[in-house]
PDB file of all heavy atoms in Angstrom:
ATOM      1  N   PHE A 513       1.326 -14.268 -20.883  1.00 98.00           N
ATOM      2  CA  PHE A 513       1.195 -12.849 -20.769  1.00 98.00           C
ATOM      3  C   PHE A 513       1.386 -12.518 -19.242  1.00 98.00           C
ATOM      4  O   PHE A 513       1.032 -13.225 -18.343  1.00 98.00           O
ATOM      5  CB  PHE A 513      -0.229 -12.397 -21.093  1.00 98.00           C
ATOM      6  CG  PHE A 513      -0.532 -12.533 -22.545  1.00 98.00           C
ATOM      7  CD1 PHE A 513      -1.527 -13.388 -23.043  1.00 98.00           C
ATOM      8  CD2 PHE A 513       0.049 -11.717 -23.442  1.00 98.00           C
ATOM      9  CE1 PHE A 513      -1.883 -13.514 -24.341  1.00 98.00           C
ATOM     10  CE2 PHE A 513      -0.243 -11.758 -24.822  1.00 98.00           C
ATOM     11  CZ  PHE A 513      -1.182 -12.671 -25.227  1.00 98.00           C
ATOM     12  N   ASN A 514       2.026 -11.315 -18.990  1.00 97.00           N
ATOM     13  CA  ASN A 514       1.929 -10.731 -17.724  1.00 97.00           C
ATOM     14  C   ASN A 514       0.652 -10.024 -17.592  1.00 97.00           C
ATOM     15  O   ASN A 514       0.121  -9.459 -18.633  1.00 97.00           O
ATOM     16  CB  ASN A 514       3.039  -9.605 -17.574  1.00 97.00           C
ATOM     17  CG  ASN A 514       4.480 -10.147 -17.390  1.00 97.00           C
ATOM     18  OD1 ASN A 514       4.683 -11.294 -17.054  1.00 97.00           O
ATOM     19  ND2 ASN A 514       5.429  -9.400 -17.841  1.00 97.00           N
ATOM     20  N   ILE A 515       0.100 -10.025 -16.416  1.00 97.00           N
ATOM     21  CA  ILE A 515      -1.060  -9.163 -16.144  1.00 97.00           C
ATOM     22  C   ILE A 515      -0.849  -8.469 -14.775  1.00 97.00           C
ATOM     23  O   ILE A 515      -1.074  -9.036 -13.725  1.00 97.00           O
ATOM     24  CB  ILE A 515      -2.421 -10.000 -16.255  1.00 97.00           C
ATOM     25  CG1 ILE A 515      -3.605  -9.106 -15.997  1.00 97.00           C
ATOM     26  CG2 ILE A 515      -2.430 -11.156 -15.344  1.00 97.00           C
ATOM     27  CD1 ILE A 515      -4.963  -9.650 -16.423  1.00 97.00           C
ATOM     28  N   GLY A 516      -0.430  -7.290 -14.907  1.00 95.00           N
ATOM     29  CA  GLY A 516      -0.098  -6.448 -13.732  1.00 95.00           C
ATOM     30  C   GLY A 516      -0.483  -4.998 -13.957  1.00 95.00           C
ATOM     31  O   GLY A 516      -0.890  -4.611 -15.059  1.00 95.00           O
ATOM     32  N   ASN A 517      -0.494  -4.255 -12.880  1.00 93.00           N
ATOM     33  CA  ASN A 517      -0.911  -2.907 -12.967  1.00 93.00           C
ATOM     34  C   ASN A 517       0.078  -1.890 -13.707  1.00 93.00           C
ATOM     35  O   ASN A 517      -0.414  -0.853 -14.137  1.00 93.00           O
ATOM     36  CB  ASN A 517      -1.211  -2.317 -11.614  1.00 93.00           C
ATOM     37  CG  ASN A 517      -2.225  -1.212 -11.570  1.00 93.00           C
ATOM     38  OD1 ASN A 517      -3.146  -1.175 -12.421  1.00 93.00           O
ATOM     39  ND2 ASN A 517      -1.899  -0.146 -10.736  1.00 93.00           N
ATOM     40  N   ASN A 518       1.266  -2.340 -13.808  1.00 86.00           N
ATOM     41  CA  ASN A 518       2.279  -1.640 -14.428  1.00 86.00           C
ATOM     42  C   ASN A 518       2.545  -0.200 -13.773  1.00 86.00           C
ATOM     43  O   ASN A 518       3.022   0.737 -14.412  1.00 86.00           O
ATOM     44  CB  ASN A 518       1.950  -1.354 -15.909  1.00 86.00           C
ATOM     45  CG  ASN A 518       3.146  -0.824 -16.774  1.00 86.00           C
ATOM     46  OD1 ASN A 518       2.957  -0.040 -17.578  1.00 86.00           O
ATOM     47  ND2 ASN A 518       4.255  -1.534 -16.616  1.00 86.00           N
ATOM     48  N   GLN A 519       2.166  -0.140 -12.481  1.00 88.00           N
ATOM     49  CA  GLN A 519       2.405   1.050 -11.658  1.00 88.00           C
ATOM     50  C   GLN A 519       2.846   0.604 -10.322  1.00 88.00           C
ATOM     51  O   GLN A 519       2.107   0.622  -9.324  1.00 88.00           O
ATOM     52  CB  GLN A 519       1.088   1.893 -11.552  1.00 88.00           C
ATOM     53  CG  GLN A 519       0.582   2.414 -12.888  1.00 88.00           C
ATOM     54  CD  GLN A 519      -0.709   3.213 -12.663  1.00 88.00           C
ATOM     55  OE1 GLN A 519      -0.823   3.922 -11.683  1.00 88.00           O
ATOM     56  NE2 GLN A 519      -1.665   3.100 -13.576  1.00 88.00           N
ATOM     57  N   PRO A 520       4.094   0.132 -10.258  1.00 89.00           N
ATOM     58  CA  PRO A 520       4.573  -0.396  -8.967  1.00 89.00           C
ATOM     59  C   PRO A 520       4.568   0.597  -7.850  1.00 89.00           C
ATOM     60  O   PRO A 520       4.816   1.803  -8.045  1.00 89.00           O
ATOM     61  CB  PRO A 520       6.003  -0.901  -9.348  1.00 89.00           C
ATOM     62  CG  PRO A 520       6.389  -0.089 -10.531  1.00 89.00           C
ATOM     63  CD  PRO A 520       5.113   0.064 -11.284  1.00 89.00           C
ATOM     64  N   VAL A 521       4.306   0.153  -6.664  1.00 94.00           N
ATOM     65  CA  VAL A 521       4.193   1.000  -5.435  1.00 94.00           C
ATOM     66  C   VAL A 521       5.025   0.521  -4.340  1.00 94.00           C
ATOM     67  O   VAL A 521       5.079  -0.716  -4.012  1.00 94.00           O
ATOM     68  CB  VAL A 521       2.661   1.025  -4.953  1.00 94.00           C
ATOM     69  CG1 VAL A 521       2.585   1.811  -3.721  1.00 94.00           C
ATOM     70  CG2 VAL A 521       1.739   1.489  -6.063  1.00 94.00           C
ATOM     71  N   PRO A 522       5.806   1.339  -3.662  1.00 95.00           N
ATOM     72  CA  PRO A 522       6.579   0.971  -2.491  1.00 95.00           C
ATOM     73  C   PRO A 522       5.638   0.522  -1.436  1.00 95.00           C
ATOM     74  O   PRO A 522       4.569   1.046  -1.194  1.00 95.00           O
ATOM     75  CB  PRO A 522       7.262   2.248  -2.109  1.00 95.00           C
ATOM     76  CG  PRO A 522       7.389   3.072  -3.371  1.00 95.00           C
ATOM     77  CD  PRO A 522       6.072   2.779  -4.048  1.00 95.00           C
ATOM     78  N   LEU A 523       6.096  -0.617  -0.639  1.00 96.00           N
ATOM     79  CA  LEU A 523       5.196  -1.190   0.291  1.00 96.00           C
ATOM     80  C   LEU A 523       4.775  -0.097   1.404  1.00 96.00           C
ATOM     81  O   LEU A 523       3.644  -0.113   1.840  1.00 96.00           O
ATOM     82  CB  LEU A 523       5.893  -2.429   0.977  1.00 96.00           C
ATOM     83  CG  LEU A 523       5.180  -3.057   2.121  1.00 96.00           C
ATOM     84  CD1 LEU A 523       3.755  -3.603   1.624  1.00 96.00           C
ATOM     85  CD2 LEU A 523       5.993  -4.252   2.666  1.00 96.00           C
ATOM     86  N   LEU A 524       5.700   0.725   1.730  1.00 96.00           N
ATOM     87  CA  LEU A 524       5.388   1.756   2.816  1.00 96.00           C
ATOM     88  C   LEU A 524       4.364   2.712   2.312  1.00 96.00           C
ATOM     89  O   LEU A 524       3.493   3.238   3.174  1.00 96.00           O
ATOM     90  CB  LEU A 524       6.634   2.413   3.276  1.00 96.00           C
ATOM     91  CG  LEU A 524       7.652   1.518   4.045  1.00 96.00           C
ATOM     92  CD1 LEU A 524       8.783   2.371   4.483  1.00 96.00           C
ATOM     93  CD2 LEU A 524       7.038   0.824   5.175  1.00 96.00           C
ATOM     94  N   ASP A 525       4.327   3.086   1.002  1.00 96.00           N
ATOM     95  CA  ASP A 525       3.304   3.869   0.448  1.00 96.00           C
ATOM     96  C   ASP A 525       1.938   3.219   0.446  1.00 96.00           C
ATOM     97  O   ASP A 525       0.909   3.794   0.720  1.00 96.00           O
ATOM     98  CB  ASP A 525       3.661   4.362  -0.975  1.00 96.00           C
ATOM     99  CG  ASP A 525       4.763   5.328  -1.047  1.00 96.00           C
ATOM    100  OD1 ASP A 525       5.254   5.769   0.028  1.00 96.00           O
ATOM    101  OD2 ASP A 525       5.311   5.629  -2.138  1.00 96.00           O
ATOM    102  N   PHE A 526       1.946   1.883   0.156  1.00 96.00           N
ATOM    103  CA  PHE A 526       0.691   1.085   0.147  1.00 96.00           C
ATOM    104  C   PHE A 526       0.139   1.112   1.595  1.00 96.00           C
ATOM    105  O   PHE A 526      -1.058   1.332   1.779  1.00 96.00           O
ATOM    106  CB  PHE A 526       1.201  -0.307  -0.312  1.00 96.00           C
ATOM    107  CG  PHE A 526      -0.064  -1.264  -0.383  1.00 96.00           C
ATOM    108  CD1 PHE A 526      -0.737  -1.271  -1.571  1.00 96.00           C
ATOM    109  CD2 PHE A 526      -0.313  -2.245   0.633  1.00 96.00           C
ATOM    110  CE1 PHE A 526      -1.787  -2.240  -1.794  1.00 96.00           C
ATOM    111  CE2 PHE A 526      -1.371  -3.118   0.453  1.00 96.00           C
ATOM    112  CZ  PHE A 526      -2.163  -3.089  -0.742  1.00 96.00           C
ATOM    113  N   ILE A 527       1.012   0.935   2.605  1.00 97.00           N
ATOM    114  CA  ILE A 527       0.580   0.939   3.985  1.00 97.00           C
ATOM    115  C   ILE A 527      -0.020   2.251   4.397  1.00 97.00           C
ATOM    116  O   ILE A 527      -1.080   2.406   5.025  1.00 97.00           O
ATOM    117  CB  ILE A 527       1.680   0.517   5.001  1.00 97.00           C
ATOM    118  CG1 ILE A 527       2.008  -0.948   4.710  1.00 97.00           C
ATOM    119  CG2 ILE A 527       1.262   0.774   6.404  1.00 97.00           C
ATOM    120  CD1 ILE A 527       3.229  -1.435   5.473  1.00 97.00           C
ATOM    121  N   ALA A 528       0.712   3.387   3.940  1.00 97.00           N
ATOM    122  CA  ALA A 528       0.155   4.662   4.152  1.00 97.00           C
ATOM    123  C   ALA A 528      -1.223   4.942   3.594  1.00 97.00           C
ATOM    124  O   ALA A 528      -2.021   5.647   4.183  1.00 97.00           O
ATOM    125  CB  ALA A 528       1.225   5.781   3.706  1.00 97.00           C
ATOM    126  N   THR A 529      -1.394   4.439   2.402  1.00 97.00           N
ATOM    127  CA  THR A 529      -2.761   4.648   1.776  1.00 97.00           C
ATOM    128  C   THR A 529      -3.782   3.903   2.643  1.00 97.00           C
ATOM    129  O   THR A 529      -4.852   4.306   2.783  1.00 97.00           O
ATOM    130  CB  THR A 529      -2.762   4.077   0.315  1.00 97.00           C
ATOM    131  OG1 THR A 529      -1.745   4.797  -0.341  1.00 97.00           O
ATOM    132  CG2 THR A 529      -4.035   4.176  -0.330  1.00 97.00           C
ATOM    133  N   LEU A 530      -3.426   2.680   3.091  1.00 97.00           N
ATOM    134  CA  LEU A 530      -4.361   1.924   3.829  1.00 97.00           C
ATOM    135  C   LEU A 530      -4.653   2.687   5.197  1.00 97.00           C
ATOM    136  O   LEU A 530      -5.870   2.735   5.570  1.00 97.00           O
ATOM    137  CB  LEU A 530      -3.808   0.545   4.195  1.00 97.00           C
ATOM    138  CG  LEU A 530      -4.620  -0.368   5.055  1.00 97.00           C
ATOM    139  CD1 LEU A 530      -6.001  -0.621   4.592  1.00 97.00           C
ATOM    140  CD2 LEU A 530      -3.794  -1.620   5.311  1.00 97.00           C
ATOM    141  N   GLU A 531      -3.647   3.221   5.818  1.00 97.00           N
ATOM    142  CA  GLU A 531      -3.893   4.015   7.033  1.00 97.00           C
ATOM    143  C   GLU A 531      -4.904   5.192   6.816  1.00 97.00           C
ATOM    144  O   GLU A 531      -5.784   5.410   7.553  1.00 97.00           O
ATOM    145  CB  GLU A 531      -2.479   4.566   7.476  1.00 97.00           C
ATOM    146  CG  GLU A 531      -1.573   3.553   8.043  1.00 97.00           C
ATOM    147  CD  GLU A 531      -0.309   4.202   8.421  1.00 97.00           C
ATOM    148  OE1 GLU A 531       0.187   5.068   7.699  1.00 97.00           O
ATOM    149  OE2 GLU A 531       0.345   3.709   9.395  1.00 97.00           O
ATOM    150  N   ARG A 532      -4.738   5.794   5.683  1.00 97.00           N
ATOM    151  CA  ARG A 532      -5.693   6.917   5.360  1.00 97.00           C
ATOM    152  C   ARG A 532      -7.144   6.473   5.201  1.00 97.00           C
ATOM    153  O   ARG A 532      -8.091   6.997   5.646  1.00 97.00           O
ATOM    154  CB  ARG A 532      -5.257   7.631   4.108  1.00 97.00           C
ATOM    155  CG  ARG A 532      -4.058   8.583   4.346  1.00 97.00           C
ATOM    156  CD  ARG A 532      -3.713   9.446   3.171  1.00 97.00           C
ATOM    157  NE  ARG A 532      -3.419   8.784   1.942  1.00 97.00           N
ATOM    158  CZ  ARG A 532      -2.264   8.452   1.559  1.00 97.00           C
ATOM    159  NH1 ARG A 532      -1.215   8.769   2.317  1.00 97.00           N
ATOM    160  NH2 ARG A 532      -1.999   7.859   0.427  1.00 97.00           N
ATOM    161  N   CYS A 533      -7.247   5.223   4.465  1.00 97.00           N
ATOM    162  CA  CYS A 533      -8.626   4.697   4.249  1.00 97.00           C
ATOM    163  C   CYS A 533      -9.276   4.269   5.519  1.00 97.00           C
ATOM    164  O   CYS A 533     -10.421   4.268   5.722  1.00 97.00           O
ATOM    165  CB  CYS A 533      -8.571   3.635   3.314  1.00 97.00           C
ATOM    166  SG  CYS A 533      -8.111   4.038   1.630  1.00 97.00           S
ATOM    167  N   LEU A 534      -8.432   3.719   6.473  1.00 97.00           N
ATOM    168  CA  LEU A 534      -8.904   3.246   7.728  1.00 97.00           C
ATOM    169  C   LEU A 534      -9.088   4.371   8.777  1.00 97.00           C
ATOM    170  O   LEU A 534      -9.741   4.158   9.802  1.00 97.00           O
ATOM    171  CB  LEU A 534      -8.041   2.162   8.342  1.00 97.00           C
ATOM    172  CG  LEU A 534      -7.961   0.802   7.632  1.00 97.00           C
ATOM    173  CD1 LEU A 534      -6.961  -0.136   8.077  1.00 97.00           C
ATOM    174  CD2 LEU A 534      -9.342   0.089   7.545  1.00 97.00           C
ATOM    175  N   GLY A 535      -8.362   5.427   8.553  1.00 96.00           N
ATOM    176  CA  GLY A 535      -8.331   6.514   9.558  1.00 96.00           C
ATOM    177  C   GLY A 535      -7.599   6.139  10.847  1.00 96.00           C
ATOM    178  O   GLY A 535      -7.834   6.617  11.962  1.00 96.00           O
ATOM    179  N   ARG A 536      -6.643   5.181  10.647  1.00 96.00           N
ATOM    180  CA  ARG A 536      -5.854   4.771  11.865  1.00 96.00           C
ATOM    181  C   ARG A 536      -4.378   4.548  11.400  1.00 96.00           C
ATOM    182  O   ARG A 536      -4.030   4.181  10.222  1.00 96.00           O
ATOM    183  CB  ARG A 536      -6.410   3.435  12.370  1.00 96.00           C
ATOM    184  CG  ARG A 536      -7.866   3.498  12.784  1.00 96.00           C
ATOM    185  CD  ARG A 536      -8.203   2.219  13.527  1.00 96.00           C
ATOM    186  NE  ARG A 536      -9.651   2.171  13.789  1.00 96.00           N
ATOM    187  CZ  ARG A 536     -10.241   1.233  14.559  1.00 96.00           C
ATOM    188  NH1 ARG A 536      -9.430   0.334  15.132  1.00 96.00           N
ATOM    189  NH2 ARG A 536     -11.511   1.194  14.662  1.00 96.00           N
ATOM    190  N   LYS A 537      -3.431   4.695  12.380  1.00 96.00           N
ATOM    191  CA  LYS A 537      -2.008   4.467  12.028  1.00 96.00           C
ATOM    192  C   LYS A 537      -1.678   3.031  12.364  1.00 96.00           C
ATOM    193  O   LYS A 537      -2.285   2.419  13.229  1.00 96.00           O
ATOM    194  CB  LYS A 537      -1.217   5.332  12.952  1.00 96.00           C
ATOM    195  CG  LYS A 537      -1.275   6.811  12.645  1.00 96.00           C
ATOM    196  CD  LYS A 537      -0.863   7.272  11.315  1.00 96.00           C
ATOM    197  CE  LYS A 537       0.704   7.126  11.187  1.00 96.00           C
ATOM    198  NZ  LYS A 537       1.216   7.551   9.840  1.00 96.00           N
ATOM    199  N   ALA A 538      -0.727   2.474  11.591  1.00 96.00           N
ATOM    200  CA  ALA A 538      -0.302   1.145  11.799  1.00 96.00           C
ATOM    201  C   ALA A 538       0.888   1.105  12.748  1.00 96.00           C
ATOM    202  O   ALA A 538       1.763   2.022  12.669  1.00 96.00           O
ATOM    203  CB  ALA A 538       0.096   0.513  10.434  1.00 96.00           C
ATOM    204  N   ASP A 539       1.021   0.111  13.576  1.00 96.00           N
ATOM    205  CA  ASP A 539       2.132  -0.084  14.338  1.00 96.00           C
ATOM    206  C   ASP A 539       2.919  -1.198  13.624  1.00 96.00           C
ATOM    207  O   ASP A 539       2.558  -2.315  13.499  1.00 96.00           O
ATOM    208  CB  ASP A 539       1.740  -0.695  15.750  1.00 96.00           C
ATOM    209  CG  ASP A 539       2.905  -1.128  16.674  1.00 96.00           C
ATOM    210  OD1 ASP A 539       4.026  -0.817  16.271  1.00 96.00           O
ATOM    211  OD2 ASP A 539       2.693  -1.801  17.601  1.00 96.00           O
ATOM    212  N   MET A 540       4.089  -0.752  12.972  1.00 94.00           N
ATOM    213  CA  MET A 540       4.840  -1.561  12.090  1.00 94.00           C
ATOM    214  C   MET A 540       5.943  -2.348  12.833  1.00 94.00           C
ATOM    215  O   MET A 540       6.761  -1.724  13.509  1.00 94.00           O
ATOM    216  CB  MET A 540       5.393  -0.785  10.907  1.00 94.00           C
ATOM    217  CG  MET A 540       4.277  -0.268   9.958  1.00 94.00           C
ATOM    218  SD  MET A 540       5.007   0.485   8.507  1.00 94.00           S
ATOM    219  CE  MET A 540       5.297   2.196   9.090  1.00 94.00           C
ATOM    220  N   GLN A 541       5.994  -3.614  12.695  1.00 93.00           N
ATOM    221  CA  GLN A 541       7.025  -4.503  13.158  1.00 93.00           C
ATOM    222  C   GLN A 541       7.962  -4.766  11.972  1.00 93.00           C
ATOM    223  O   GLN A 541       7.570  -5.582  11.128  1.00 93.00           O
ATOM    224  CB  GLN A 541       6.445  -5.805  13.761  1.00 93.00           C
ATOM    225  CG  GLN A 541       7.474  -6.682  14.389  1.00 93.00           C
ATOM    226  CD  GLN A 541       6.885  -7.981  14.901  1.00 93.00           C
ATOM    227  OE1 GLN A 541       5.630  -8.190  14.770  1.00 93.00           O
ATOM    228  NE2 GLN A 541       7.604  -8.810  15.511  1.00 93.00           N
TER     229      GLN A 541
END
């Protein structure tokens, strides 16, 4: 069986969500 969320997310959107939760911007390399 696959066991995944079935709701794929672009990596940059994932990072943007993390930035909101942390209240800080990421310096992306």
